[in-house]
Amino acid sequence: MEIKAVKFRKDGFYTQPFAFGGEEGAEKFDKNVRYRGSLQNYLIDTGDEVILVDTGLPAGTPEESPDENSIAFTGRDICTYMEAFAALGYRPEQVTKILLTHRHSDHSGELKSFPNAKIYVNAEETSADELQGLSNVVPVHFASGAYYNFPESEKIRDGVYFVKAKGHTNGNSLVIVENGGLFYMLHGDITYVDEALYQNKLSVVYDDQAEARKTLDRVREFVKNHPTVYCGTHTPQGFESLEAKRVIDLEKPVETIPPGEIVFKTASGKYVCSVCGYVYDPAVGDPKNGIAPGTPFEELPEDWHCPRCKKGKDKFNRA
């Protein structure tokens, strides 16, 4: 069995208030501290089938244009998700299963591009807009019972487990692969950066804070008791750990490498949600929520929220 990273954005960042401020408040942390960011999802090649864990951003999603006040930046395009997938040597029709950690479009963006795959998703997540119109969705009810200290799981096949991990979204899940004596934890946004796992901090992005705390506690307990390679979506430490088969040790944090210089680009007038990838286009507005076409982002009401993930204006970057 092989696990590979599907890498499609690099050179992003997440500030300490964004990555650590979910319980104590963002104002308790230093906005000038930035951690490296990236975007990658994962592929499991079992030898007789190809399984994806999430499917990247939709093609055509514009890059953000961060400034010195941006609290998060998903990074610059390396290529599209589908180009990154193809670069690993696979064809879409080879994929038999997709294990969706949660609905946000940086995880669900190319679900439609895999015609032969069954899409496994927590049954609590199936009403999400991102999943509508797809006929190959398999609602997961976690019928396999507990997986070690996680109370609910679904065995996908030998060595591959879909685990309920509510909090970041109400239908959030993670994937654990057992291979070669190690446990590979492939997750969406349990943490955005590994530093938050070491320091036991929640990000500011969650649907249910109490459940997010329970999930992070379970993750930390699991990695203390099992040799675990911790593979996140939003930090290059995710694929670096995978490629090095680096087992996480909460008592010995990996050295933090600061992000490189951020080059600020000319903005287009569009804005991108750094949480879910929704693009606000002034030419279109947000008519469903009373925002007329032609309304600049700067003129949106202060209580306006992302139509997709319901986060505030401060989570948006210029595109």
Side-chain angles (χ1 to χ4, degrees):
M1 189 181 302
E2 291 185 90
I3 306 168
K4 304 177 183 182
V6 187
K7 307 171 190 176
F8 53 99
R9 280 194 173 175
K10 64 178 182 177
D11 299 333
F13 65 79
Y14 293 92
T15 62
Q16 195 177 76
F18 181 95
F20 286 17
E23 291 175 304
E24 297 155 83
E27 69 280 359
K28 301 292 186 181
F29 298 94
D30 187 347
K31 66 180 181 180
N32 296 310
V33 176
R34 293 173 172 168
Y35 303 104
R36 292 183 297 154
S38 60
L39 271 176
Q40 63 276 334
N41 298 144
Y42 296 95
L43 179 151
I44 307 164
D45 186 338
T46 69
D48 59 359
E49 65 177 330
V50 178
I51 301 172
L52 297 181
V53 179
D54 295 340
T55 62
L57 284 165
T61 301
E63 290 183 5
E64 305 147 53
S65 295
D67 60 29
E68 62 277 2
N69 296 313
S70 297
I71 61 174
F73 171 46
T74 59
R76 307 288 183 210
D77 287 338
I78 301 170
C79 57
T80 68
Y81 173 85
M82 293 305 295
E83 289 168 340
F85 168 81
L88 294 177
Y90 297 93
R91 302 183 309 278
E93 58 269 23
Q94 291 178 271
V95 176
T96 56
K97 296 182 178 72
I98 298 170
L99 309 181
L100 185 66
T101 63
H102 64 288
R103 66 181 186 271
H104 292 157
S105 68
D106 50 341
H107 301 261
S108 63
E110 291 291 345
L111 290 175
K112 66 183 186 301
S113 297
F114 298 93
N116 298 333
K118 293 182 178 180
I119 302 168
Y120 290 76
V121 60
N122 185 331
E124 296 180 46
E125 199 92 330
T126 55
S127 62
D129 290 345
E130 293 85 350
L131 297 175
Q132 301 315 297
L134 297 171
S135 61
N136 51 341
V137 172
V138 178
V140 174
H141 298 279
F142 303 99
S144 301
Y147 181 82
Y148 294 94
N149 64 305
F150 293 97
E152 297 179 76
S153 73
E154 184 87 10
K155 183 178 179 180
I156 302 300
R157 58 169 292 147
D158 287 347
V160 180
Y161 297 85
F162 196 57
V163 177
K164 192 172 186 178
K166 184 175 181 177
H168 177 69
T169 69
N170 287 323
N172 202 70
S173 306
L174 58 82
V175 176
I176 297 179
V177 180
E178 300 174 0
N179 190 40
L182 298 177
F183 296 82
Y184 292 82
M185 184 176 288
L186 314 177
H187 70 92
D189 305 343
I190 303 299
T191 56
Y192 279 83
V193 297
D194 287 11
E195 287 83 359
L197 181 71
Y198 291 122
Q199 298 197 37
N200 198 16
K201 303 295 185 184
L202 292 181
S203 81
V204 297
V205 185
Y206 48 74
D207 284 350
D208 188 319
Q209 184 192 73
E211 291 296 329
R213 167 44 59 191
K214 289 178 184 177
T215 291
L216 184 57
D217 287 346
R218 288 171 183 146
V219 167
R220 285 172 53 83
E221 180 183 349
F222 185 89
V223 304
K224 284 179 183 177
N225 293 305
H226 305 88
T228 303
V229 181
Y230 186 71
C231 302
T233 296
H234 290 276
T235 170
Q237 287 190 7
F239 65 79
E240 290 167 356
S241 293
L242 174 64
E243 291 165 2
K245 296 183 180 179
R246 181 171 64 202
V247 171
I248 199 154
D249 183 344
L250 297 181
E251 302 302 319
K252 297 178 181 178
V254 174
E255 181 181 0
T256 294
I257 300 172
E261 182 181 0
I262 306 300
V263 178
F264 301 132
K265 295 172 30 176
T266 302
S268 67
K270 298 178 182 179
Y271 278 71
V272 182
C273 178
S274 61
V275 173
C276 76
Y278 171 83
V279 180
Y280 178 79
D281 185 345
V284 176
D286 181 17
K288 288 184 179 179
N289 292 299
I291 305 299
T295 303
F297 185 85
E298 294 79 7
E299 295 180 13
L300 292 173
E302 287 306 309
D303 61 355
W304 180 84
H305 290 77
C306 174
R308 181 179 289 149
C309 71
K310 311 306 179 187
K311 304 306 177 185
K313 290 174 64 179
D314 65 322
K315 304 300 188 296
F316 280 73
N317 285 323
R318 298 176 300 170

